[in-house]
Amino acid sequence: MKFNIKKEILLQNLNSVSKALSSKNLIPILSGIKFDLTNSGLLLSASDNDISIQSFIPCDKLENIDEIGSTVIQGKYILEIIRKLEGKIITFELLDGIKVLISCGNSEFNLNCMDAKEFPNLNIEEKKEPIILKKEEFKNLINKTSFAVSTQETRPVLTGINFKIVDNKLECVATDSYRLAKKHINLNHEVNEDINIVIPGKNLIELTKIIEDNENNIEMHVFSNKVLFKFDNILFQSRVLSGSFPDVNRLIPSSFELIIKVQASEFYNVIDRAALLTSEKDKNIVKFECNDNELIVSSNSPEIGKVEEKMLIEKNNDKNIKIAFSSKFMMDALRTVQSKNVILNFNNDVQPIIILDEEDSTLLQLILPIKTY
């Protein structure tokens, strides 16, 4: 194997595949990135058994190909080396199948490498009729729901985002059983079969990091135990979680006793300041009280002190409410709101609080209140 490539092209593609590297992997070969050079181009592959990523650099983006071949190079070393090399063109040469010579400008690295035959077959498959998604819409779906996934492995299915497709509607839901985030989009085409899968949230967050903003679409290929996302020159495959995702729609009230409209950024800042005197061990609790057209947010810590914040609001009736909730959860939900105002929906101090973006009817957030007495 011998070829020359521009540093910026190689680094961009290595950054993408390196998202599948894990420092905790017990299988040595999976700590490496596979370089597979053919006359049509260079294929980079990495996997941690949870996600697998391939990135293809076509031959017209390589400076030249002198000799084809394959090898596996330690991921963390190759990434740092390429990042810190000074010069525009990098030369790779495989020596005796066990070492790779990397040279650029005045620098030369001689790295031990691993046998490409030991690298696992990633079993990347495609379907004839994939689901087509716009990049911006897909990233929005993940960014506005992924924060609500559970970090506890006691209920593995809650560490993922539930993707449901019926006809041409794709709905994503995440919940850790204390809060919930739900958003949907309409696809430009109908899907022949209903889809209901749960994809690990952390995998989807890694995926959004390598999706570049351009006009190209993403193809989503769904299988019973895995899902493949195909875009630009990247193939990103993730396992899907087993188990049934809870039916969250029954948790969402259909009517409300009190609806309050607040200015989103001002309300966020009020919660943020009130949260300064809360502690994580006490679930970052703030108290929320409304009287007439005024809202009072307060927190009280015997060890630290107390704070009280006021702001003007609009209500749909003259009812009042006293309720307590996690300031962290409320701020996470408010970060996803893009319009000027946010709508807060209440029934009483024990039923869920529903948070809606005034101008985005596809987004819904739910937070469970916390009993403080």
Side-chain angles (χ1 to χ4, degrees):
M1 183 178 84
K2 188 178 180 183
F3 66 96
N4 291 358
I5 188 169
K6 282 182 178 154
K7 173 187 168 175
E8 62 195 68
I9 292 174
L10 181 60
L11 187 58
Q12 181 187 11
N13 286 273
L14 282 174
N15 277 329
S16 295
V17 297
S18 67
K19 297 284 186 284
L21 292 172
S22 168
S23 55
K24 298 172 186 171
N25 220 302
L26 300 174
I27 307 167
I29 195 78
L30 293 184
S31 65
I33 294 173
K34 185 182 180 188
F35 283 63
D36 196 1
L37 182 68
T38 64
N39 288 320
S40 51
L42 175 65
L43 181 67
L44 301 172
S45 308
S47 177
D48 65 358
N49 283 333
D50 198 36
I51 57 175
S52 301
I53 306 174
Q54 288 190 331
S55 182
F56 182 70
I57 305 168
C59 58
D60 60 0
K61 288 198 173 181
L62 296 169
E63 296 302 295
N64 65 290
I65 299 171
D66 291 336
E67 190 180 335
I68 62 170
S70 301
T71 192
V72 178
I73 306 173
Q74 282 282 353
K76 67 174 183 177
Y77 295 118
I78 188 63
L79 203 58
E80 284 304 306
I81 288 168
I82 302 305
R83 197 175 278 145
K84 292 179 179 178
L85 282 174
E86 292 180 0
K88 291 185 177 176
I89 307 294
I90 301 172
T91 301
F92 275 75
E93 185 177 3
L94 187 63
L95 307 171
D96 303 325
I98 53 166
K99 286 186 185 295
V100 66
L101 185 68
I102 302 163
S103 49
C104 178
N106 296 321
S107 304
E108 192 173 278
F109 285 83
N110 200 314
L111 275 186
N112 294 335
C113 46
M114 297 175 272
D115 189 350
K117 290 174 187 167
E118 291 179 23
F119 199 82
N121 180 1
L122 301 183
N123 293 319
I124 288 176
E125 305 172 71
E126 296 181 29
K127 284 205 159 177
K128 284 182 183 172
E129 294 184 5
I131 297 143
I132 309 296
L133 301 161
K134 290 177 182 168
K135 281 185 172 180
E136 187 181 359
E137 285 188 337
F138 178 76
K139 284 172 83 170
N140 232 345
L141 275 174
I142 307 308
N143 292 336
K144 294 196 173 187
T145 54
S146 58
F147 68 89
V149 301
S150 174
T151 55
Q152 305 297 317
E153 291 294 335
T154 46
R155 289 187 69 188
V157 77
L158 296 187
T159 63
I161 297 176
N162 184 206
F163 277 66
K164 262 187 186 171
I165 303 178
V166 178
D167 298 328
N168 71 331
K169 182 180 171 183
L170 164 59
E171 181 182 86
C172 283
V173 180
T175 180
D176 60 5
S177 72
Y178 300 104
R179 55 168 165 183
L180 178 153
K182 180 168 93 159
K183 183 169 172 62
H184 73 263
I185 58 170
N186 291 317
L187 305 172
N188 291 332
H189 60 100
E190 281 205 6
V191 177
N192 295 330
E193 53 179 333
D194 291 355
I195 284 168
N196 188 352
I197 58 169
V198 185
I199 306 171
K202 61 182 176 63
N203 296 2
L204 290 166
I205 291 167
E206 291 302 331
L207 172 58
T208 60
K209 290 176 185 174
I210 61 175
I211 296 174
E212 290 188 356
D213 295 326
N214 57 39
E215 295 301 308
N216 297 342
N217 291 326
I218 295 177
E219 293 179 13
M220 183 177 171
H221 302 252
V222 179
F223 299 88
S224 60
N225 62 343
K226 62 186 179 182
V227 58
L228 174 69
F229 296 94
K230 181 181 179 182
F231 55 96
D232 301 335
N233 62 325
I234 306 273
L235 295 172
F236 183 108
Q237 185 168 275
S238 167
R239 71 184 174 101
V240 300
L241 295 169
S242 54
S244 297
F245 200 81
D247 178 14
V248 297
N249 289 320
R250 58 188 177 82
L251 301 172
I252 301 166
S254 55
S255 60
F256 301 97
E257 295 281 315
L258 177 65
I259 299 171
I260 296 174
K261 179 156 83 171
V262 293
Q263 208 271 331
S265 60
E266 186 187 353
F267 184 52
Y268 180 92
N269 292 334
V270 161
I271 299 286
D272 195 14
R273 288 192 294 270
L276 290 171
L277 302 190
T278 65
S279 65
E280 207 166 313
K281 69 179 172 68
D282 294 325
K283 300 179 183 174
N284 304 104
I285 295 174
V286 295
K287 291 179 180 175
F288 175 108
E289 186 177 342
C290 73
N291 300 308
D292 301 327
N293 65 340
E294 187 180 61
L295 167 66
I296 302 166
V297 177
S298 61
S299 68
N300 186 358
S301 168
E303 307 92 47
I304 313 166
K306 64 181 180 180
V307 56
E308 189 174 278
E309 289 272 346
K310 295 179 180 177
M311 69 178 285
L312 295 175
I313 55 169
E314 288 178 39
K315 299 196 303 179
N316 70 325
N317 57 41
D318 58 1
K319 291 188 177 178
N320 295 321
I321 193 165
K322 285 184 182 179
I323 197 166
F325 51 78
S326 161
S327 58
K328 180 187 180 301
F329 287 0
M330 181 60 79
M331 287 163 68
D332 284 346
L334 291 171
R335 277 190 208 103
T336 67
V337 173
Q338 287 182 306
S339 60
K340 184 184 175 185
N341 297 317
V342 63
I343 311 297
L344 306 171
N345 302 271
F346 304 92
N347 279 314
N348 51 47
D349 62 354
V350 292
Q351 279 194 278
I353 305 162
I354 302 297
I355 301 137
L356 302 173
D357 185 320
E358 186 182 40
E359 294 170 13
D360 183 1
S361 60
T362 68
L363 178 66
L364 178 146
Q365 314 279 358
L366 175 153
I367 297 174
L368 289 182
I370 298 168
K371 272 283 193 185
T372 57
Y373 51 87

